[in-house]
Amino acid sequence: MDRILINGGNPLKGDVRINGAKNSALKLMAASLLCDEPLTLTNMPDLADTRFMAQLLKHLGVEVSRQNGSSMVLHAKALAEPYAPYDLVRKMRATFNVLGPLLARRGRARVSLPGGCAIGARPVDLHLKALEAMGAQIELDEGYALAKAPKGLHGAMINFPFVSVGATEHAMLAAVLARGETVLENAAREPEIADLAACLNAMGARVEGGGSARIIITGVDHLNSATHRVVPDRIEAGTYALAVAATGGDVCIKNCDPAHLGALWDRMRAIGVSVQLVDEQSVRIIQSDRRCQAADVETQAYPGFPTDLQAQFMAVVCRAEGASIIRETIFENRFMHAPELSRLGADITVHGREAVVHGVEVLHGAPVMATDLRASVSLVIAGLAAKGQTEVNRVYHLDRGFEGLERKLGALGADIKRVSGP
Ligand code: UD1
């Protein structure tokens, strides 16, 4: 099994280019099921998760091919049996979002309930309620959702009791081909939702308000071929910004959308890092070799501080001057990186959804274990800032969401390498 070895202490310097967003790409790939003509996605990241989603879509009858490195063409000309087995769904939650498109196009589907990162219960009740409101009949049987819509899906008024990114996207994916109008209230406002709306509209759908709390979808009879560029990955961009905050240095993050990270820039400035918005696609992060200041953070749905950057922020404030309080409001079990960071010498106490981090002057390298995607990159960040060697095990978690991490960090001056074998 691969491991990552880091000799910490090098400041990061130079430019880094950000890929398309994993969290958007997976839902855009699911959208290909809605149409019998090709969907071309550009700026597509090449990740374990996108490859896994491609495998599932191929099983469902979609022809998937990569072109010119970062483009992918998905052609769902004729669908196979609408059955998504456990083995092709279990590794990540986004796969569950094939249920709505399959129902919309085929009128029935059998999809395994999802897996994903081990960061809490992560139910799908809101997804199922939204599809039921549109006329689907759904039974849960032995870990599968068995769904049918004998008379087709119809528009509905759906008021989400709380914000869910996955359920908002799922409802959009089903509603674009439903009869009549669907209104989503209290919809998630993440940039990835606006991206999905833009892609669906390019395919001929009628989606208004994507990226706002109220989305109105007028169903159409069929969708057509389109080309869409995947929105930049704000979590990858934020991760590199926080790596610079941890190690010190001067890095220009390119091909990103700095406007999507306002809550992060606010917290980074609060801990004393210089964040300079260069243009609409680049941001420059400068940090001297002084220690950062402590600051509190609370995760929230967009435009709040992203839960997907909580672990990385914690890695930074492990060395801050003073105590920081980190509150996780989205997932109930998302501090699994805390005991691993403590192995490097961090002083962290977790009480339920709150972690108190007392900054220490120095972290020391040690072997640590990745537990989920974002937790694993927080260990890399801590390792880059620690004295001595850190060995990060179970790096397959990292490969789910960060393309070329060692290459990109190495190019910025980090001493980092991947080794295979025992
Ligand atoms: C969440 C994050 C998203 C992040 C992704 C991957 C939020 C609001 N969402 O999206 O930014 O990129 O994880 O880490 O920050 N829930 C239910 N029932 C449902 C669906 C969700 O109870 O049917 C709960 C979840 O358990 C969670 C909350 O709602 O506590 C938000 O979940 P949701 O936004 O749906 O999760 P993801 O789509 O995975």
Side-chain angles (χ1 to χ4, degrees):
M1 215 185 282
D2 288 2
R3 291 163 293 150
I4 285 183
L5 297 182
I6 301 163
N7 286 304
N10 294 2
L12 300 179
K13 292 204 168 116
D15 296 348
V16 63
R17 261 182 82 81
I18 299 307
N19 287 75
K22 167 185 91 79
N23 286 343
S24 198
L26 298 172
K27 314 300 167 67
L28 297 171
M29 290 173 75
S32 70
L33 287 166
L34 291 164
C35 170
D36 61 5
E37 295 175 34
L39 172 64
T40 304
L41 298 174
T42 63
N43 199 32
M44 269 292 282
D46 185 15
L47 300 164
D49 274 12
T50 49
R51 287 194 288 268
F52 189 69
M53 187 66 162
Q55 241 180 307
L56 170 64
L57 292 173
K58 283 181 191 165
H59 173 86
L60 293 169
V62 184
E63 288 168 28
V64 184
S65 57
R66 275 251 165 210
Q67 288 177 348
N68 319 321
S70 66
S71 294
M72 183 182 272
V73 181
L74 302 109
H75 192 179
K77 192 169 178 186
L79 290 180
E81 180 60 21
Y83 167 53
Y86 176 66
D87 267 355
L88 290 176
V89 169
R90 67 187 162 85
K91 285 193 199 163
M92 61 190 207
R93 267 172 81 75
T95 46
F96 191 65
N97 284 44
V98 301
L99 177 61
L102 287 176
L103 257 184
R105 185 128 169 237
R106 295 293 304 272
R108 66 190 171 87
R110 181 165 177 246
V111 176
S112 170
L113 295 168
C117 282
I119 55 178
R122 305 188 87 177
V124 287
D125 53 323
L126 298 185
H127 298 230
L128 301 180
K129 279 190 190 131
L131 296 176
E132 281 170 347
M134 288 182 230
Q137 298 163 7
I138 305 177
E139 275 171 51
L140 298 183
D141 183 38
E142 296 185 352
Y144 280 82
L146 310 180
K148 54 186 180 184
K151 295 183 191 150
L153 296 175
H154 55 72
M157 271 293 296
I158 298 168
N159 196 340
F160 292 109
F162 50 88
V163 169
S164 160
V165 176
T168 302
E169 290 166 333
H170 209 157
M172 288 165 73
L173 285 165
V176 286
L177 288 182
R179 276 188 323 278
E181 187 177 273
T182 298
V183 180
L184 307 179
E185 298 280 6
N186 199 23
R189 291 177 286 161
E190 269 66 2
E192 293 75 26
I193 308 255
D195 199 37
L196 178 60
C199 176
L200 291 169
N201 285 341
M203 294 167 78
R206 290 176 58 196
V207 182
E208 286 166 49
S212 75
R214 184 163 203 255
I215 301 178
I216 302 172
I217 301 150
T218 310
V220 296
D221 288 341
H222 90 282
L223 298 179
N224 46 254
S225 183
T227 297
H228 176 78
R229 182 177 169 81
V230 182
V231 70
D233 195 323
R234 62 197 166 98
I235 304 304
E236 190 194 17
T239 298
Y240 284 100
L242 287 165
V244 182
T247 60
D250 181 348
V251 170
C252 189
I253 302 173
K254 297 192 160 169
N255 200 34
C256 65
D257 190 337
H260 292 161
L261 283 163
L264 174 68
W265 307 145
D266 173 70
R267 292 295 79 195
M268 287 186 58
R269 288 179 176 132
I271 61 174
V273 179
S274 162
V275 178
Q276 298 173 8
L277 303 177
V278 178
D279 57 36
E280 281 174 6
Q281 282 139 33
S282 348
V283 58
R284 186 171 167 199
I285 309 293
I286 306 172
Q287 169 64 7
S288 67
D289 51 10
R290 272 185 307 111
R291 287 170 69 191
C292 292
Q293 300 302 306
D296 301 340
V297 145
E298 178 172 285
T299 62
Q300 288 293 347
Y302 189 83
F305 190 94
T307 175
D308 279 352
L309 289 172
Q310 177 258 107
Q312 298 88 314
F313 189 83
M314 186 185 285
V316 174
V317 292
C318 283
R319 285 189 55 238
E321 279 182 40
S324 309
I325 297 174
I326 300 184
R327 259 182 74 72
E328 171 59 57
T329 73
I330 309 292
F331 295 115
E332 72 276 18
N333 187 22
R334 209 173 194 182
F335 285 134
M336 284 177 301
H337 41 284
E340 298 299 313
L341 290 169
S342 300
R343 290 177 52 74
L344 302 178
D347 178 354
I348 305 169
T349 322
V350 175
H351 305 279
R353 287 179 176 243
E354 209 167 87
V356 181
V357 186
H358 288 274
V360 295
E361 199 165 340
V362 189
L363 294 175
H364 294 279
V368 286
M369 189 98 82
T371 50
D372 71 54
L373 168 57
R374 309 304 177 186
S376 49
V377 84
S378 80
L379 301 176
V380 171
I381 291 178
L384 293 171
K387 274 203 172 134
Q389 192 175 76
T390 296
E391 177 183 309
V392 183
N393 292 285
R394 298 200 180 161
V395 298
Y396 53 83
H397 288 293
L398 275 178
D399 297 333
R400 289 189 48 203
F402 292 94
E403 187 180 331
L405 182 75
E406 311 93 85
R407 174 177 49 79
K408 289 184 182 183
L409 285 171
L412 295 175
D415 181 348
I416 179 169
K417 67 176 177 197
R418 180 182 289 246
V419 289
S420 304

